[in-house]
Structure formats: structure tokens, C-alpha cells
Amino acid sequence: MTDHESALPPCPAPSREGGQRVLDLLKIMHLLRSPGGCPWDLEQTHQTLARHLLEEAHETLEAIDSGDPGLLREELGDLLLQVVFHAEIAMQGGAFDIDDVAEGITAKLIRRHPHVFAGTSVDSASEVLVNWERIKTEEKGLHPVDEEIPATLPALARASKVQRRAAGFGFDWRSRRGAIDKVREELAEVEEAASEAEERVEDELGDLLFAAAALARTLDVDPETALRKATRRFAERFERMRDRARAEGIEMAQLSEEDLLARFRAAR
């Protein structure tokens, strides 16, 4: 028995049919990739499927934000298909199979949750994340704080992950007030740079956004999710504002900034 098997609770898989439908999916995927199966599925590679994985991840995020459990169920299924598809391709190539994938992540979860499996104490969810990064460093050795964090990751999400890693080494705000004051400091520097039309305004704005991501961590808020929801709220309110302006025969481009803001607030 492996270490992670000894940590598993002695009970059936907590799902309606004990995970049987997941096994059905594995069988179907194998059939589609077998001789006489689907020509399209047979010709796919990790590389050709990459864009589909990205699309399905984004569609799952949309489903989460929608609050529609039926839609989320559907999109999680599409995302699960991508995992099973890649595992099937790897198995046929002799690299690994779905059990290797599941075994690896199960063992990692056990190692990275000593407060559940090894008696370590934690005081908050944020401390769990800090411990995760610390344990990861112990496993892989000291490495640059942004190593293995994809450069293509959305900037706010990447900033948050880098900050979480730094926190694993003790570099973190000791209070929420400190994080708030830092945001104010960076905003003042943006205002100063903008008023002087200096080239450093981009750097100062970047520092402000980075400080905002740090503040989000102290508030237990994911900055990427917060911005995505704020963007959606803006779009919905803007549509209402634009429709009202059209109905009244008003050209928004002719309105003053004060009038625009007043109309935007009224479009709640």
C-alpha cells in the first residue's frame, strides 16, 4: 500500500454512482481513439487540443460567474473530457495514463495539506496557501519566485500567484492597513507621473495594479475574479445607459463628463 493509499478514508467514492460514470467516460474516449473509432479524435495531439483546453477553461469560468448549476455541470463535463482526452493520447504514446495523473495529484494534495494529514495547525485559508508554496519549495528546491508561472497567465492572476509564493518566504503584509496604505501611495505616484507626462507612468500604473492585487490577498478576494465581475457589471450598466440615451435621442459623445457619470449612475 502506498503512502497516499493509507491516507484515503475507508469509504466509497462520494458520488451518486461511486465514480462509475467517470470510468464510462474513459472507456468511450478509448473507443473513439481506437482503430475504427472517430477519424477526428484519432488525429488529435496534445498540441492540436491545446486551444480547446483553453476555450473550455474560459467557458467554465463563464458558467461559474453565471450562477447556473446546469450550465456549470455541462462545462465541467467538457473540461473533464479534455483531461481524459490528453491522458488517453499519453497512454497510447506510452508516456502515462489517467491513473498516473490521478495518483500524482492525490499524492500532492496529501503532501500539501499537512494540517489535514499530518497534524499541522493553521489559522486561516490564506495560511494554507502560504504553506502550499513553502512545501512546494521544500520539494523542488529554491527557485525564482516567478518560475513555472506561465507568462501568458492573466496579469492580475500572475501577480497574485507571485505574491503568494513570496509570502511563503515570509514576505507579506502583516496587516490589511499596510496593504491599503500601499495602494494609496502607488496611486499618488501615478497621479504625479501623469501630471508630469513622464514616461514612468506605465511603471507607476503597474505598481498600482500590483499593490491592488496584494490588497486583494489580504481581503481573501481573487483579483482576477473581482475584475472579471466588475467588467461584466460595467458592460451591463453601459448597455442600459446607451439604450436610454438612444431612446431619448441623445448623443453620448456630446455630453459632459459630469452628465455621462450621472447617466451611468442612474443606469443601475
Side-chain angles (χ1 to χ4, degrees):
M1 178 180 292
T2 63
D3 290 340
H4 84 259
E5 286 176 330
S6 64
L8 295 176
C11 62
S15 67
R16 179 170 51 85
E17 297 189 43
Q20 184 58 50
R21 301 290 76 83
V22 176
L23 299 180
D24 291 346
L25 175 59
L26 295 177
K27 293 175 184 178
I28 291 296
M29 190 70 254
H30 183 68
L31 177 64
L32 292 173
R33 289 274 303 179
S34 297
C38 173
W40 185 88
D41 290 300
L42 278 166
E43 68 181 20
Q44 298 312 304
T45 66
H46 293 306
Q47 290 71 31
T48 61
L49 287 176
R51 69 180 182 87
H52 298 290
L53 178 59
L54 182 62
E55 289 170 3
E56 297 301 348
H58 283 292
E59 288 176 10
T60 301
L61 286 175
E62 287 287 327
I64 291 172
D65 288 347
S66 76
D68 183 340
L71 181 60
L72 178 58
R73 171 187 172 180
E74 178 182 348
E75 295 301 342
L76 284 174
D78 292 341
L79 193 58
L80 177 59
L81 171 61
Q82 292 301 309
V83 175
V84 170
F85 209 149
H86 280 281
E88 178 68 22
I89 291 171
M91 184 188 70
Q92 292 179 343
F96 57 82
D97 64 15
I98 193 67
D99 281 324
D100 295 316
V101 174
E103 182 180 44
I105 190 59
T106 300
K108 179 187 289 187
L109 287 172
I110 293 170
R111 291 194 311 271
R112 304 278 177 89
H113 288 79
H115 53 288
V116 175
F117 299 101
T120 302
S121 297
V122 293
D123 296 325
S124 65
S126 60
E127 188 177 345
V128 171
L129 295 178
V130 169
N131 284 344
W132 179 286
E133 297 298 342
R134 178 184 54 77
I135 295 169
K136 182 176 181 178
T137 298
E138 292 172 356
E139 292 173 354
K140 298 190 174 184
L142 196 62
H143 51 76
V145 72
D146 62 347
E147 185 175 277
E148 296 182 353
I149 300 178
T152 53
L153 200 65
L156 276 177
R158 192 168 193 270
S160 186
K161 189 169 181 62
V162 167
Q163 291 167 356
R164 188 166 67 244
R165 282 191 177 178
F169 292 93
F171 189 87
D172 200 7
W173 289 110
R174 302 298 188 258
S175 70
R176 185 174 299 167
R177 172 52 54 188
I180 292 173
D181 289 344
K182 184 62 176 175
V183 170
R184 290 197 175 106
E185 174 190 324
E186 296 298 347
L187 177 58
E189 292 182 7
V190 169
E191 290 177 330
E192 178 184 339
S195 66
E196 298 173 2
E198 292 189 11
E199 294 180 359
R200 66 185 178 93
V201 69
E202 180 180 285
D203 290 343
E204 298 298 349
L205 186 58
D207 290 344
L208 174 60
L209 294 172
F210 194 81
L215 173 59
R217 286 190 60 252
T218 71
L219 298 170
D220 291 325
V221 171
D222 173 51
E224 195 70 33
T225 299
L227 180 58
R228 188 171 64 251
K229 289 182 176 179
T231 301
R232 177 171 288 107
R233 289 195 302 271
F234 171 85
E236 291 172 351
R237 190 187 296 187
F238 175 80
E239 290 300 323
R240 291 193 294 270
M241 171 187 169
R242 185 176 62 179
D243 289 345
R244 291 177 187 176
R246 283 179 173 174
E248 296 171 19
I250 294 174
E251 290 288 338
M252 289 196 296
Q254 305 302 318
L255 296 175
S256 67
E257 184 175 288
E258 181 179 335
D259 288 337
L260 281 172
L261 289 174
R263 284 183 165 271
F264 187 74
R265 293 190 188 101
R268 286 183 179 276

